[in-house]
Amino acid sequence: MITLLDYGAGNVRSVINGIESLGETVKIVASGEDILAAEKLVFPGVGAFGNMMRILQDKNYVEPLAAYLHSNRPFLGICLGLQALFEHSEEAPDIKGLGFLAGSVKRFAIDLSVPHIGWNGLNFKQASRIFSGLGGDEKFYFVHSYHIVADDVSVILTTTDYGSEFVSSIQKGNIIATQFHPEKSGRAGLIILQNFLNTAAEPSHPVQSAATTTLAKRIIACLDVRSNDEGDLVVTKGDQYDVREGGDVRNLGKPVELAQRYYAEGADEITFLNITGFRDFPLEDMPMLEVLRQTSKNVFVPLTIGGGIRDYSDKDGHRYDALEVAAEYFRSGADKVSIGSDAVLIAEAYLQTGRRTGRSSIEAISRVYGNQAVVVSVDPRRVYVSSADEVNHAVIETDLPSPGGERYCWYQCTIKGGREGRNLDAVTLARVCEKLGAGEILLNCIDRDGTNLGFDIELINAVATAVSIPVIASSGAGRVEHFHEVFTATEAESALAAGIFHRREIPIAEVKKYLDGKVEVRR
Ligand code: 1PR
């Protein structure tokens, strides 16, 4: 029996699913006594440091946790569950950590995208039982803006390189903690979980073959989901966002089955977009929540869900806020939520008043769950103009002039799945959303969607150079070379595709095989 400390701030379902997939049962902590009575305790910290410590204090968990740690019974901290062990964090300078280990938590001060999101390797500094069976070159999933600085270097198990070298796991006796998420790190992550559960596993000291670790470019499979006319939830796919063919919604398969297939084929992440979420209220859309629950049972890579994340009043006048919608998604197995239409409206309001309200979905969700949990999905369309100063938008000079010869364009944001164009450009939207707390930009392109013509490199460059958060390039992938192009001609951290994977035109493994040796990928 594994005791799991869930303080209600994120996706612990994946940790439970990971442990259960290894044949163990999980008991969720309901009181301080449960912590004191635990035989093996797992603490998956999610969200923001200050919020986490406040909840631990309010629930009177701090003392039992300290007592458990000092008893040296098996403990596995994950992500914030590692950071909590230290004295304080720059993320919440006035709030004390557990102080079990000397040191602090600092924000990345580097010239790279922050958060550090994605699959990176480990430099092994000493042996541990949790490494038993690893080869040394495996990559693990990270998502964080802060990292620990341990005063006592003897506790450091591994480091990882991202701009500079930071500590990615520690061990002191039976107290083990990782900055990466084993429950989101595919097969290699499950090996670590298994070794933690098996306290008799032999210590092992793998050796990484390269001198430093490198963050991999991510390949993301995207599933656009909606109900078809028969009422079945299906994966569909549009051509420039038109998902109907001969009047019917295109049906490319079942969401859970396809997600499982992409996990098995090596997808680094899976994104579900509930494409009619803007008109249906997601909390009434139980099938979509069920898709997440079922998928997260045996898909151990990050899951993002988008569609309909906004404040909402139902027909009886009951008001729900976006945070409640997101919370339900996280509880059902999502690691990140993606906000589309609402982000455009939020940015417009911000630009009008110049003020943050603190109440927008982006701000509210990032405050509780951390910036890394908030993706902004952008649905832009190219608009040509004849000169750079014709409009008050971020205009670029394009190598792809309009049929009429116009050499300038801007990218107009749309809402409601491309149905409504707004007076806002994608570059400004991305900048404002970063300021308000978004951790990642999912950059679609209506012109390229479903065309197989390749990613819109000009759009991606315009946005990626304007923000410091990671950008996911999306729309238009048709050949393996397109992935190479987007990773070498832009600063995109990941590339997302749908049609070529659904139609089995190019398997994910073939994309990775082509990129291997040219661009860092997870094998
Ligand atoms: O506005 O917060 O409710 O979110 C709705 C979400 O649904 C948004 O993220 C929006 O992008 C998405 N969406 C809405 N309508 C459509 C549609 O297709 N009619 N899907 C739609 C957009 C997602 C793309 C696609 C890539 C790759 N499609 O990410 O997967 O273009 O396709 P490809 O590789 O086949 O070219 P809200």
Side-chain angles (χ1 to χ4, degrees), residues 113-128:
S113 298
V114 176
H116 169 225
I117 301 185
W119 298 78
N120 206 331
L122 305 177
N123 303 303
F124 297 88
K125 301 294 181 187
Q126 52 180 306
S128 167

Side-chain angles (χ1 to χ4, degrees), residues 222 224 237 241 275 307-308 340-341 377 379 417 444 449-450 474-476 497-499:
C222 183
D224 288 357
K237 182 69 211 64
Y241 283 37
I275 67 170
S341 304
S377 167
D379 298 318
N444 303 298
D449 176 60
S474 164
S475 305

Side-chain angles (χ1 to χ4, degrees), residues 288-434:
M288 197 65 210
L289 295 172
E290 195 53 27
V291 163
L292 269 179
R293 291 188 196 112
Q294 293 305 326
T295 302
S296 63
K297 270 193 187 150
N298 34 33
V299 171
F300 298 106
V301 293
L303 302 176
T304 301
I305 175 125
I309 297 181
R310 63 191 162 95
D311 298 343
Y312 180 88
S313 296
D314 70 12
K315 49 188 181 309
D316 304 321
H318 185 104
R319 220 181 129 67
Y320 300 87
D321 59 31
L323 188 58
E324 286 177 71
V325 181
E328 195 54 38
Y329 277 152
F330 289 128
R331 270 195 293 275
S332 303
D335 300 284
K336 305 188 242 184
V337 293
S338 151
I339 304 174
S341 304
D342 200 37
V344 176
L345 305 179
I346 292 166
E348 286 175 353
Y350 174 83
L351 289 167
Q352 224 166 41
T353 62
R355 279 199 317 271
R356 302 160 189 256
T357 63
R359 290 192 305 271
S360 71
S361 56
I362 298 174
E363 292 160 285
I365 300 169
S366 62
R367 196 161 48 238
V368 176
Y369 294 96
N371 303 33
Q372 79 294 331
V374 179
V375 181
V376 162
S377 167
V378 192
D379 298 318
R381 182 180 276 129
R382 188 179 264 240
V383 178
Y384 283 101
V385 286
S386 48
S387 71
D389 48 13
E390 189 181 317
V391 286
N392 194 14
H393 289 301
V395 171
I396 60 159
E397 190 171 359
T398 174
D399 289 337
L400 304 164
S402 73
E406 291 154 309
R407 299 202 55 85
Y408 295 88
C409 71
W410 63 287
Y411 289 92
Q412 180 187 32
C413 293
T414 65
I415 59 173
K416 302 179 184 169
R419 286 168 183 78
E420 191 180 319
R422 307 290 295 193
N423 188 25
L424 176 70
D425 65 77
V427 173
T428 306
L429 172 75
R431 272 207 191 105
V432 171
C433 291
E434 174 178 22

